[in-house]
Amino acid sequence: MRQVSVNIRTTGVRGIHRVVEVTSLAEQWQDDLQFLVPAPDAAAIAQVENWREKGLRNIAVVGVEGLEEGDIVDLDPGRGKATVLFRESDVHHSLFLTNRCNSYCLMCSQPPTRQDDGWLVDQAIDIVRHVRVPPAVIGISGGEPLLAAAGLERVFATIKDYWPETAAEVLTNGRLLHDARVRQALFGDPPTNVRWLVPLYGHADFLHDFIVQSPGAFDETLDGLLTLQEMRQPIQLRIVLIQPVLDVLDELCRFIGKNLPFVECVALMACEPTGFALANRDICELDLCDAGPMLDRASRVLDRYQVRHVFMNAPLCALPPRLWPRATRSISDWKNTYADACTKCSVRDRCCGLFAWHEKNWKPTKLKPIEEAIA
Ligand code: SF4
């Protein structure tokens, strides 16, 4: 998430606001929303203060810094910061429901915490209410969002109310779907327009359980996948490409083809070089180019079983050209960057690029700008 330093000109305001230009305030006005007006000059500040004095207490003024019309921000006046939680111009959008998790994955990009953070569900609902232009797709993640299953159900209901056309994608390890209360909360009235993104890291319990550092997780995740199938919910399986997973990738893809043919898609993802991946660098850092033959073989196995698959977080110069059509621009906008070398690359426009922290940590491969588009 982007953090912007702001000069908040109105005292006593905090929490979720929609950024709106003073000229479009009247058109967007709703008395149950909070608005933040970037004021370019003293006259604009005075105008907004005047409205507040007349009773419009849900408007705040801020200096003009780094915010865009339609941004949904969380204001923290104590630190003079606004966290941008939703930006209309982004390609990827997400709601974050908890930082708690029941797994402890070796390459987790966002290590879990134990504190009660139930307020995040209310914040997510507030974000949905404040957004001006609904996104086509909203990601819902954590931590493990099923730890807040009742809250997740409320988020689904709010999305259905406010953004009826929006598809939700829930990133979950699926383990809690074996719990009858979780199933009841989520599937008493099964959601429509929801897709479930579920990681699977091995074709046997000891492999998957090792990666997620949780005994019993493999069986629970498979149970969860079968529950989702029974509920006719679309599933994308996610495989993060770290060394112990690459070592069994063929077998894992065969296992998926034989036993989980109902999944809609498999995403093979390069590891994000942050969080626990830094502590487990010996098994998480690899050159994707070296893994090219293994990725090609995995793709052929999945093709043989007619399982649709994509590559995520994988720059084109790291992949065999045969796999380029399956590569997606998957890195969230606020995490995404390109290296200087990319400026002279002919496929930059369709390449996912790099995680912003590649400089500090590691690159997925030695970059090789492509001179002419191959595919
Ligand atoms: S050089 Fe940069 S833009 Fe080109 S394929 Fe590699 S990462 Fe992508």
Side-chain angles (χ1 to χ4, degrees):
M1 281 169 280
R2 302 172 182 93
Q3 286 224 325
V4 180
S5 296
V6 286
N7 182 2
I8 304 168
R9 314 300 284 257
T10 310
T11 50
V13 292
R14 61 184 312 112
I16 300 296
H17 288 71
R18 178 196 293 173
V19 175
V20 58
E21 296 296 336
V22 71
T23 47
S24 38
L25 186 59
E27 183 194 322
Q28 294 187 36
W29 178 259
Q30 277 180 247
D31 58 10
D32 59 341
L33 301 183
Q34 299 201 94
F35 294 93
L36 185 66
V37 181
D41 52 38
I45 293 171
Q47 183 174 31
V48 177
E49 288 302 346
N50 185 28
W51 286 333
R52 278 182 64 84
E53 275 162 28
K54 290 190 170 145
L56 301 182
R57 306 296 296 174
N58 55 337
I59 314 173
V61 198
V62 74
V64 184
E65 309 98 343
L67 297 175
E68 291 183 11
E69 168 114 25
D71 278 354
I72 308 303
V73 298
D74 184 19
L75 278 188
D76 180 350
R79 293 167 58 228
K81 297 268 183 209
T83 305
V84 180
L85 299 170
F86 185 99
R87 173 158 286 178
E88 281 177 15
S89 58
D90 282 350
V91 177
H92 304 98
H93 303 280
S94 58
L95 300 171
F96 177 67
L97 295 202
T98 179
N99 202 45
R100 292 174 301 128
C101 193
N102 52 348
S103 293
Y104 219 61
C105 301
L106 292 170
M107 64 298 195
C108 179
S109 60
Q110 196 179 293
T113 48
R114 293 201 177 136
Q115 288 77 14
D116 178 5
D117 52 13
W119 56 274
L120 282 167
V121 168
D122 295 324
Q123 185 189 67
I125 288 172
D126 233 11
I127 294 169
V128 175
R129 288 193 321 107
H130 275 80
V131 164
R132 180 178 65 155
V133 181
V137 178
I138 184 79
I140 299 178
S141 73
E144 172 47 52
L146 296 191
L147 286 169
L152 177 57
E153 201 283 328
R154 285 171 54 218
V155 171
F156 284 160
T158 311
I159 290 173
K160 198 170 164 188
D161 264 9
Y162 283 80
W163 305 341
E165 307 298 324
T166 298
E169 295 191 331
V170 183
L171 178 58
T172 169
N173 59 42
R175 294 174 57 194
L176 286 171
L177 289 172
H178 74 271
D179 183 323
R181 286 163 307 175
V182 172
R183 283 203 305 271
Q184 180 53 35
L186 295 174
F187 303 127
D189 178 16
T192 51
N193 226 2
V194 174
R195 189 179 191 214
W196 303 81
L197 317 178
V198 183
L200 189 66
Y201 300 126
H203 57 290
D205 53 4
F206 67 97
L207 297 166
H208 180 85
D209 292 0
F210 167 67
I211 303 291
V212 304
Q213 295 284 288
S214 307
F218 179 76
D219 290 341
E220 288 171 355
T221 291
L222 285 189
D223 250 19
L225 291 170
L226 295 176
T227 299
L228 291 172
Q229 186 217 4
E230 197 185 325
M231 294 296 144
R232 302 275 182 270
Q233 299 289 306
I235 302 166
Q236 181 193 75
L237 284 183
R238 297 200 142 188
I239 300 174
V240 178
L241 301 167
I242 60 172
Q243 196 57 53
V245 176
L246 273 182
D247 290 345
V248 298
L249 192 58
D250 267 15
E251 290 92 332
L252 174 55
C253 291
R254 225 169 282 126
F255 177 86
I256 292 167
K258 279 185 189 159
N259 300 294
L260 306 170
F262 50 83
V263 302
E264 194 182 62
C265 178
V266 172
L268 298 116
M269 313 173 65
C271 177
E272 184 173 344
T274 189
F276 283 157
L278 299 181
N280 296 303
R281 197 163 178 157
D282 53 330
I283 56 170
C284 293
E285 180 180 3
L286 49 86
D287 186 329
L288 269 187
C289 233
D290 295 342
M294 281 171 264
L295 301 183
D296 189 52
R297 238 181 4 252
S299 169
R300 289 179 198 277
V301 171
L302 291 170
D303 271 343
R304 198 177 321 135
Y305 288 100
Q306 299 184 344
V307 178
R308 195 167 79 76
H309 52 286
V310 294
F311 291 89
M312 296 173 71
N313 313 344
L316 294 180
C317 58
L319 288 177
R322 188 185 84 79
L323 303 182
W324 287 13
R326 298 186 184 278
T328 60
R329 295 189 65 176
S330 49
I331 301 177
S332 303
D333 305 68
W334 65 276
K335 298 180 179 181
N336 197 195
T337 190
Y338 291 84
D340 290 346
C342 302
T343 49
K344 53 183 181 210
C345 179
S346 65
V347 295
R348 186 186 185 283
D349 286 353
R350 53 192 170 119
C351 175
C352 72
L354 303 158
F355 285 102
W357 22 90
H358 75 274
E359 285 292 5
K360 200 159 47 114
N361 303 325
W362 68 78
K363 289 188 179 61
T365 188
K366 186 168 182 317
L367 303 185
K368 293 176 289 297
I370 310 290
E371 280 177 17
E372 277 178 38
I374 303 174

